[in-house]
Structures are given as C-alpha cells and as structure tokens.
Amino acid sequence: MSEHKIRIAILFGGRSAEHDVSRASAANVLRSLDGARYEVTPIGITRDGHWVVADARDGGATLVIPDDGPRLALVPGGQGRALVIDGTGAGVRHLPAFDVVFPVLHGPNGEDGTVQGALELCDVAYVGSRVMGSAASMDKDVAKRLMRDAALPIVPFVAMSASAPVNYEDAVREIGSAELFVKPANMGSSVGVSRARTADEFEACCELALRFDRKILVERSVAPVREIECSVLEDADGKVNASEIGEIVPAGKHGFYSYDAKYIDAAGAALHVPAQLPPLLADRIKALALRTFRVLCCEAMARVDFFLSGDQVFVNEVNTIPGFTNISMYPKLWEASGLSQAELMDALIVHALARHRSSKNLVFHP
C-alpha cells in the first residue's frame, strides 16, 4: 500500500426500503475504519436518489444525510475522481480521487448490481461482488434456480408477478404445503415477508409483497426450523473462507425473523454465536456456504442464510452486502472466528484494491 492515507468513499442510504438499515450499517463501518490509515468521505444517497456529501464526524448510531448537503457525482472513466456541486448549483469543485468505494447499501438500487455497474464504468476499486454476483444473488428467483441447477438444497418455491399471478390452491399443489411464506424477490431484511395459511391470507400476503417488488416468491414453510447463518470472506488471492456458524432465535411473539424482530423490537430475537451444532453438521453448512458463494458468482463477502430442520439443511438466501449494524451477524461471526471488525474492513479494502489492479491486465480488444 502507498504511504498516503487510502481515500475511502462510503456509499449509504439509498432508494430501497432498507434505507435506515443502511445508515446504521454505514455508521458502524465508519467507526471501524482506522483513521490513521484511511481518509473517509461518507456519501449519502437520498430516498429520491441524489448523492450527497455527508459529515464523517457524525458519531451517532446512524449517519445523517443532510437535505442541503452538496451533491456529488463520480466521473465516468475518472478512476475515482468526483465532482461536488454546491447547494445552489452555481459552483463545482473537484475532489481528489477516491482509491476505494465501499457500498454499504441494502436492497434494490444498491445491492443488485446497479451501483456496481456504475462503479465499473467509473473505473474505481470497490468493495463487494461485481455486477453478476450482485444481481444473481439479489433476485431470489434467479438465485434459487441457479442453486437448484447446481444441486444445492433449497426449499420448494414458485415465482409470480401481478401480470402472471398464481392462486393459493395452485401454489399449495406445486409446493406441497398449505403453509406458505410470501416475499418480494428483490428485497432483504425480511421487508414485505409474511406467512399464509389460507386463500385470503395468501391474497393479502401477495398484495403486501407486490408493494415492494414486481416479482414475488412463494415458498414452502419449513417446520420445525432453525435459522442458521454463515459469513464468507474472499482474500486478495481469491481464497474463500467460511466463518463460525451463528443461529438466530426469533422471539415467539414474532413467529419468524421479521423486520420488526430484527430492527424494531430490542428483544425480538436472540443471536447465538457460535451456534450449538454437532461439528460434522457445522462443517457441512460451511461447505454449502462456500459452494453457494461460488455458484452465484459472489466475490469479496457474503452472508449465506440457511434453514435447518432436523438434520436437513436448506440454503435460504445470500446477502452480498450484509448488514454491519451493531446486531448484524456478518461481523459478529467473523469476530467469533478471530477477525475483528477493523481487520475485516482492512481485508475487504485490500481485496477491492487487488481486484481492481488485476482487472487492468484484462484485454478488451482483439
């Protein structure tokens, strides 16, 4: 690494329903970055999509996106250079080039390949999966079809949209269960997820999920179920490692790990790190996490979530930009594996810089 401080831009906020979760994650990432090594500029994305320079000195639980903050635009092909436009639009100034962009964005317009594509066009190093891994992992329908083709164990499902609906009876017949979970295909943090046991409940669940996405997923309810998570980290040489296993135990009043159980109710769930599992089962889950990471073309980091019913393991979903809040499993599992959050940030940034350097060796013309 060079002697100068590495210039980091943290992207947070965003246009998805997970805007507030992103602000909390970004605050923790900012606190974990070593000020002696990194010069950090937080860039908040407003709910209507504007990029605004925020204040790196904010020490609260969440970062604030100022309504009147200066707008920022990365320069296409600019290798990290950016322009800042003042509040009146009268003045434009150049920022020194960023060495790395760290997207701490959850959900659509951030975790789905859109921002990753923009950063590729800007020719700047960035943390996390590239376009393919981000997009494939974000769309639960696409991800599950890829996992199914790779013979990874998944829960039976069907996908539907408002223009191509599936009724409750057909879903029950295809999936093989009268108890179903309905969720948006492109959303995280359990936003828009609900459970249906009757045709009326199913209609209400679909209506809710379609508020957040044009495509929704209908899955078989697995019971009894334990919710298991494993963090995956890729180093600068491309070696992929799995963390200790964690378990989430939702409070009985929530029934499953809902958005409220995660972020609203302080007693909504208990986190067990490491999970109490037989060693052979834990090893099998770690191996599945690594296989899933590769099948979905993930890079850098991901949290792989599982359902465990007896000794049956099902891959549930993959988060390519997992939460970094003070209750988030991704950093907690690495801490339990001997890697502090500050060391985790270092590893992710080293990976981003190494990948960007290696991309310069690719040939794009005959």
Side-chain angles (χ1 to χ4, degrees):
M1 292 186 183
S2 58
E3 294 179 358
H4 78 286
K5 286 187 180 182
I6 297 172
R7 287 181 48 79
I8 307 291
I10 298 178
L11 282 182
F12 70 99
R15 296 171 59 192
S16 84
E18 298 176 84
H19 178 97
D20 291 334
V21 180
S22 170
R23 289 171 53 217
S25 287
N28 271 353
V29 169
L30 177 58
R31 284 190 288 269
S32 300
L33 290 170
D34 182 354
R37 302 183 64 188
Y38 305 114
E39 181 181 338
V40 183
T41 301
I43 302 170
I45 302 178
T46 66
R47 294 184 188 274
D48 55 1
H50 296 127
W51 292 30
V52 178
V53 179
D55 189 348
R57 294 170 296 178
D58 191 312
T62 62
L63 288 179
V64 175
I65 303 175
D67 293 333
D68 57 350
R71 302 283 178 87
L72 179 140
L74 288 173
V75 177
Q79 298 181 330
R81 294 194 297 276
L83 303 177
V84 174
I85 307 168
D86 67 24
T88 65
V92 177
R93 60 187 172 91
H94 292 260
L95 286 184
F98 296 114
D99 298 303
V100 180
V101 177
F102 197 139
V104 189
L105 297 162
H106 308 309
N109 300 302
E111 194 176 357
D112 58 356
T114 50
V115 165
Q116 290 73 18
L119 296 175
E120 291 282 352
L121 294 176
C122 291
D123 191 18
V124 62
Y126 61 93
V127 170
S129 289
R130 288 182 288 187
V131 175
M132 177 58 71
S134 300
S137 300
M138 186 69 206
D139 189 313
K140 295 179 178 65
D141 172 37
V142 171
K144 285 181 181 291
R145 284 190 276 128
L146 288 171
M147 290 189 285
R148 184 175 59 195
D149 286 350
L152 287 163
I154 60 169
V155 174
F157 74 98
V158 294
M160 60 169 278
S161 63
S163 60
V166 175
N167 63 38
Y168 176 70
E169 290 75 17
D170 287 344
V172 168
R173 186 181 309 104
E174 185 163 349
I175 292 173
S177 171
E179 185 171 328
L180 307 171
F181 273 98
V182 182
K183 59 182 70 174
N186 291 275
M187 191 61 66
S189 294
S190 299
V191 173
V193 178
S194 52
R195 179 163 46 192
R197 302 180 184 87
T198 67
D200 288 343
E201 287 182 352
F202 183 75
E203 184 177 350
C205 290
C206 292
E207 184 177 337
L208 171 64
L210 285 168
R211 287 176 52 198
F212 298 99
D213 198 1
R214 289 174 294 182
K215 179 169 62 172
I216 63 179
L217 213 67
V218 182
E219 294 180 333
R220 177 192 293 174
S221 174
V222 178
V225 67
R226 297 169 66 183
E227 299 202 33
I228 303 295
E229 299 187 350
C230 181
S231 295
V232 178
L233 179 65
E234 181 181 27
D235 67 19
D237 296 322
K239 182 181 179 182
V240 183
N241 296 291
S243 71
E244 293 288 345
I245 307 297
E247 180 174 9
I248 297 166
V249 183
K253 59 185 174 181
H254 292 286
F256 68 98
Y257 199 35
S258 64
Y259 184 91
D260 285 354
K262 288 180 181 179
Y263 303 113
I264 305 300
D265 182 359
L271 307 182
H272 296 170
V273 180
Q276 297 302 304
L277 295 172
L280 288 178
L281 179 56
D283 288 345
R284 178 151 61 101
I285 291 171
K286 291 177 184 180
L288 284 171
L290 296 177
R291 279 187 59 206
T292 302
F293 187 89
R294 295 187 180 97
V295 164
L296 296 184
C297 304
C298 298
E299 296 174 86
M301 64 176 169
R303 194 194 71 237
V304 185
D305 300 348
F306 297 88
F307 293 139
L308 178 61
S309 181
D311 61 355
Q312 282 190 296
V313 180
F314 302 97
V315 183
N316 178 27
E317 64 182 44
V318 176
N319 289 268
T320 54
I321 305 182
F324 283 96
T325 72
N326 58 0
I327 61 168
S328 293
M329 271 290 207
Y330 187 82
K332 281 183 174 295
L333 290 175
W334 280 117
E335 286 174 358
S337 306
L339 194 67
S340 71
Q341 189 156 332
E343 292 169 326
L344 177 59
M345 298 300 104
D346 292 342
L348 291 170
I349 290 166
V350 168
H351 176 277
L353 289 168
R355 181 178 65 189
H356 190 247
R357 283 195 301 269
S358 70
S359 70
K360 299 298 184 182
N361 297 324
L362 298 176
V363 177
F364 293 99
H365 53 80

